[in-house]
Amino acid sequence: MEIIISNSSGRPIYEQITAQIKSMILSGQLTEGQALPSMRQLARDLRISVITTKRAYEDLEREGFLTNVPGKGCFVAAKDPALLREETLRRIEAALSQAVELAAAGGVSLQELTEVLTLLYEGE
């Protein structure tokens, strides 16, 4: 599992870890039941505090992406279709928000933006 941390990013390190692990789970790179590195091992590998990795793992567990088995470690949780759909919708909303900002700044109308989205969605 390769996680890349950027100290120049405006995002906290635990959020960078959380986002990258979520992405790996959603893309299928990490599969159901797969063990993740221990919090201590991940902290050592990334040269960060164990508290930071603990926060990331706790957030992922709270959101239903990981399950913690005391004494054994953290594992990728079973995929909940509703959870996956909600996460996908959140990611789409973030991407579309950026597109709307770019369109507004560039003077692109809602109709033009809708046409572009329709063309992209239909694969033309």
Side-chain angles (χ1 to χ4, degrees), residues 67-124:
T67 184
N68 185 19
V69 179
K72 298 204 185 238
C74 285
F75 299 87
V76 176
K79 291 184 178 177
D80 177 359
L83 174 68
L84 293 176
R85 180 170 169 72
E86 183 62 32
E87 182 60 27
T88 300
L89 287 171
R90 262 189 263 154
R91 294 171 78 187
I92 290 168
E93 186 177 324
L96 288 175
S97 291
Q98 289 180 333
V100 167
E101 288 174 17
L102 285 171
V108 176
S109 71
L110 175 59
Q111 181 179 354
E112 291 172 310
L113 186 61
T114 304
E115 288 173 13
V116 170
L117 179 60
T118 301
L119 289 172
L120 290 171
Y121 191 83
E122 293 174 351
E124 293 181 16

Side-chain angles (χ1 to χ4, degrees), residues 13-111:
I13 293 172
Y14 75 90
E15 284 183 6
Q16 293 178 49
I17 295 168
T18 301
Q20 289 179 54
I21 292 175
K22 274 185 196 178
S23 180
M24 287 182 228
I25 292 170
L26 292 171
S27 72
Q29 188 178 347
L30 292 175
T31 58
E32 180 180 330
Q34 188 172 348
L36 270 65
S38 71
M39 291 177 209
R40 286 187 177 93
Q41 183 61 52
L42 185 60
R44 265 193 301 266
D45 292 348
L46 298 176
R47 297 186 176 134
I48 59 174
S49 166
V50 174
I51 295 169
T52 303
T53 57
K54 184 176 192 292
R55 170 93 186 260
Y57 278 21
E58 285 175 346
D59 286 355
L60 288 163
E61 184 177 9
R62 187 173 29 260
E63 293 178 30
F65 286 94
L66 298 183
T67 184
N68 185 19
V69 179
K72 298 204 185 238
C74 285
F75 299 87
V76 176
K79 291 184 178 177
D80 177 359
L83 174 68
L84 293 176
R85 180 170 169 72
E86 183 62 32
E87 182 60 27
T88 300
L89 287 171
R90 262 189 263 154
R91 294 171 78 187
I92 290 168
E93 186 177 324
L96 288 175
S97 291
Q98 289 180 333
V100 167
E101 288 174 17
L102 285 171
V108 176
S109 71
L110 175 59
Q111 181 179 354

